[in-house]
């Protein structure tokens, strides 16, 4: 239920068995089925979700009804509307499950309690935030500086698991392409590997 | 709240459990119904679904799995079963709101909400130390529900839920009050 969560945690910080038990008491295990929402736009995002098993996506829907995927999350990743989580303002993103998933949720109050009782947890959250920032920087750079083809090839190189598990039209949405454009790019790559 | 909340009802076919499940089916909730007799539970789910077009209810064959999926857990089974239930759900109920609805209300209304010696919800909190236990005592004659708990957010969520279910919620610091 928390195996991957603690495995990832221990990659960053060393924990005693006692500290692990303390943290466990503040975690909320939650199963969610495919297509169910973890969060809908307009609600306050009360949790950060760590994916133990499964796949989720975070997205907005524009006025025309088009979905724009901001993030995917597979096993070992974290997903949340961070702005809403931090400020208590309504969420601007939807989060739903692409597969039946098992999550570990951490509420703000639970996180604060963990930080109080297990101070080294701060190192983990800081590293997590830094990681998220760097990923975001990479994503923005890719969107503004790479050609459409390069965007796709760098994505499949970086996230081969997502390509295997997520429908093409969602990958197109994530890359800011129409499904038709993505299809054209894939054909081009297939004919000139 | 727009995001549909999942509620596990344990002891769903008990008198109180089926009443609360039916009342909640009009709200934006997904109900996971659990009772020892799966067939009766399936009948209850079918009844709920046939009455409300938008209802979302499902009979579950395991209280642990129902609670694992749930955002909130209602225990409507008799308090004599608390120990057995808590052993099954403890690990998946961490940090979740658990509403104790085991009916301490006397069938013959006698002026007190509950017998002072009834400590079932407190026991439940001990049995589920990492959950947010809230007591909810329903007075069906007045369509009122008395709600108490240590965690303010949990009490507020329970209050909202009981309102949706059609009860008038009254927040009580202590349920052992005289009416």
């Amino acid at each position: 239920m928390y195996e991957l969560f603690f495995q990832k945690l221990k990659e960053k910080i060393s924990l005693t068995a006692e500290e692990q038990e303390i943290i466990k008491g503040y975690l909320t295990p939650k199963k969610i089925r495919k297509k169910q929402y973890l969060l809908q736009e307009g609600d306050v995002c009360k949790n950060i979700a760590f994916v133990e098993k499964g796949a989720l996506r975070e997205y907005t829907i524009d006025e025309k009804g088009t979905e724009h995927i901001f993030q995917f999350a597979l096993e070992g990743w974290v997903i949340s509307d961070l702005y809403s989580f931090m400020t208590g303002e309504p969420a601007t993103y939807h989060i739903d499950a692409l597969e039946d998933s098992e999550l570990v949720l951490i509420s703000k109050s639970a996180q604060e309690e963990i930080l109080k009782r297990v101070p080294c947890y701060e190192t983990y959250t800081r590293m997590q935030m830094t990681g998220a920032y760097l990923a975001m920087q990479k994503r923005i750079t890719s969107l503004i500086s790479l050609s459409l083809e390069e965007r796709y090839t760098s994505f499949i190189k970086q996230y081969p698991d997502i390509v295997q598990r997520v429908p093409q039209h969602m990958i197109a949405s994530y890359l800011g392409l129409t499904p038709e454009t993505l299809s054209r790019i894939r054909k081009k790559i297939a004919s000139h590997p | 709240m727009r995001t549909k909340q999942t509620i596990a009802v344990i002891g769903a076919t008990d008198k109180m459990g089926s009443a609360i499940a039916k009342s909640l089916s009009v709200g934006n909730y997904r109900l996971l119904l659990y009772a020892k007799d799966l067939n009766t539970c399936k009948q209850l789910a079918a009844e709920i679904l046939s009455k409300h077009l938008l209802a979302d209810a499902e009979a579950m064959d395991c209280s642990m799995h129902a609670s694992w999926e749930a955002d909130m857990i209602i225990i409507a089974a008799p308090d004599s079963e608390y120990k057995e239930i808590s052993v099954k759900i403890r690990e998946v109920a961490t940090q979740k709101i658990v509403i104790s609805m085991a009916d301490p209300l006397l069938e013959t209304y006698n002026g007190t909400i509950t017998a002072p010696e009834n400590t079932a919800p407190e026991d439940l909190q001990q049995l589920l130390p990492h959950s947010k236990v809230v007591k909810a005592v329903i007075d069906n004659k007045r369509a009122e529900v008395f709600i108490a708990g240590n965690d303010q957010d949990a009490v507020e969520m329970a209050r909202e839920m009981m309102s949706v279910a059609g009860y008038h919620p009254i927040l009580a610091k202590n349920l052992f009050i005289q009416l």
Side-chain angles (χ1 to χ4, degrees):
Chain A
M1 202 173 294
Y2 306 114
E3 291 77 15
L4 191 57
F5 177 83
F6 281 110
Q7 186 192 313
K8 289 279 174 189
L9 199 58
K10 286 174 181 170
E11 282 173 10
K12 304 271 196 291
I13 54 175
S14 58
L15 282 179
T16 64
E18 195 193 345
E19 285 172 326
Q20 186 164 325
E21 274 312 300
I22 292 172
I23 293 173
K24 232 185 208 180
Y26 291 104
L27 306 176
T28 311
K30 160 96 179 152
K31 276 215 289 194
I32 182 170
R33 296 187 205 178
K34 186 176 176 175
K35 293 189 176 173
Q36 283 178 353
Y37 285 106
L38 180 66
L39 175 74
Q40 280 187 275
E41 181 196 351
D43 284 348
V44 174
C45 177
K46 292 190 173 160
N47 296 292
I48 287 178
F50 176 90
V51 184
E52 270 286 324
K53 196 177 157 195
L56 291 92
R57 64 171 176 160
E58 183 169 354
Y59 61 100
T60 55
I61 300 175
D62 68 19
E63 286 168 359
K64 290 178 186 162
T66 309
E67 292 174 359
H68 300 276
I69 297 176
F70 168 69
Q71 193 203 328
F72 294 110
L74 304 183
E75 286 86 4
W77 298 19
V78 163
I79 192 162
S80 166
D81 183 324
L82 206 54
Y83 177 77
S84 173
F85 179 80
M86 304 292 265
T87 60
E89 294 287 319
T92 50
Y93 294 100
H94 299 274
I95 300 176
D96 65 10
L98 300 173
E99 299 172 2
D100 289 351
S101 303
E102 292 174 19
L103 311 173
V104 177
L105 306 181
I106 306 167
S107 71
K108 206 165 184 211
S109 58
Q111 193 179 45
E112 278 160 15
E113 285 300 318
I114 297 173
L115 287 169
K116 258 189 240 165
R117 298 185 61 188
V118 185
C120 65
Y121 188 79
E122 201 269 332
T123 310
Y124 172 70
T125 56
R126 188 161 36 82
M127 290 171 96
Q128 218 177 28
M129 291 293 170
T130 313
Y133 178 81
L134 294 178
M136 179 88 77
Q137 205 175 34
K138 220 171 183 178
R139 176 147 158 67
I140 293 173
T141 310
S142 151
L143 281 173
I144 59 178
S145 66
L146 296 184
S147 71
L148 301 184
E149 198 176 317
E150 283 170 336
R151 242 189 259 173
Y152 180 66
T153 49
S154 107
F155 178 81
I156 54 175
K157 201 171 154 195
Q158 202 177 351
Y159 305 114
D161 294 354
I162 295 180
V163 180
Q164 293 297 319
R165 289 164 63 177
V166 171
Q168 287 300 320
H169 73 273
M170 291 190 188
I171 293 172
S173 166
Y174 177 87
L175 295 172
L177 310 171
T178 63
E180 295 74 23
T181 310
L182 179 60
S183 173
R184 225 172 15 248
I185 292 171
R186 292 182 69 216
K187 267 185 206 151
K188 195 175 161 193
I189 293 172
S191 57
H192 305 285
Chain B
M1 187 179 274
R2 292 183 63 195
T3 314
K4 191 179 260 189
Q5 298 290 292
T6 301
I7 300 177
V9 183
I10 297 173
T13 55
D14 287 46
K15 193 176 153 201
M16 177 96 66
S18 68
I20 195 75
K22 285 175 191 169
S23 315
L24 286 172
S25 63
V26 297
N28 185 28
Y29 298 118
R30 181 163 164 265
L31 303 172
L32 300 179
L33 311 174
Y34 172 79
K36 282 180 180 161
D37 182 355
L38 181 61
N39 281 331
T40 321
C41 209
K42 281 183 177 168
Q43 281 168 19
L44 175 66
E47 188 190 334
I48 288 173
L49 294 173
S50 69
K51 279 192 179 156
H52 301 286
L53 202 61
L54 296 174
D56 189 350
E58 185 179 335
M60 299 284 285
D61 60 2
C62 170
S63 57
M64 190 274 274
H65 279 102
S67 304
W68 194 354
E69 276 192 53
D71 298 296
M72 278 186 276
I73 301 160
I74 294 176
I75 302 184
D79 51 20
S80 57
E81 293 176 20
Y82 276 12
K83 204 166 184 179
E84 186 191 335
I85 292 167
S86 63
V87 169
K88 287 185 182 153
I89 70 166
R90 187 179 296 141
E91 264 211 85
V92 294
T94 311
Q95 292 292 316
K96 291 183 186 177
I97 299 169
V98 178
I99 301 177
S100 148
M101 293 199 58
D103 188 5
L105 188 64
L106 302 175
E107 284 289 333
T108 51
Y109 184 71
N110 70 350
T112 55
I113 301 173
T114 181
E117 67 272 18
N118 187 305
T119 55
E122 286 78 1
D123 292 345
L124 188 62
Q125 183 66 77
Q126 279 176 12
L127 292 166
L128 302 171
H130 299 300
S131 303
K132 298 164 182 174
V133 174
V134 174
K135 314 178 204 180
V137 180
I138 288 182
D139 178 350
N140 269 316
K141 285 186 181 158
R142 301 184 187 189
E144 285 176 343
V145 58
F146 292 82
I147 299 169
N150 296 331
D151 186 288
Q152 281 315 302
D153 286 346
V155 168
E156 185 49 37
M157 294 283 276
R159 192 196 63 75
E160 192 184 318
M161 193 182 80
M162 288 299 170
S163 270
V164 172
Y167 294 100
H168 176 58
I170 298 170
L171 302 188
K173 274 191 182 165
N174 183 349
L175 281 181
F176 309 137
I177 50 168
Q178 297 286 319
L179 285 176

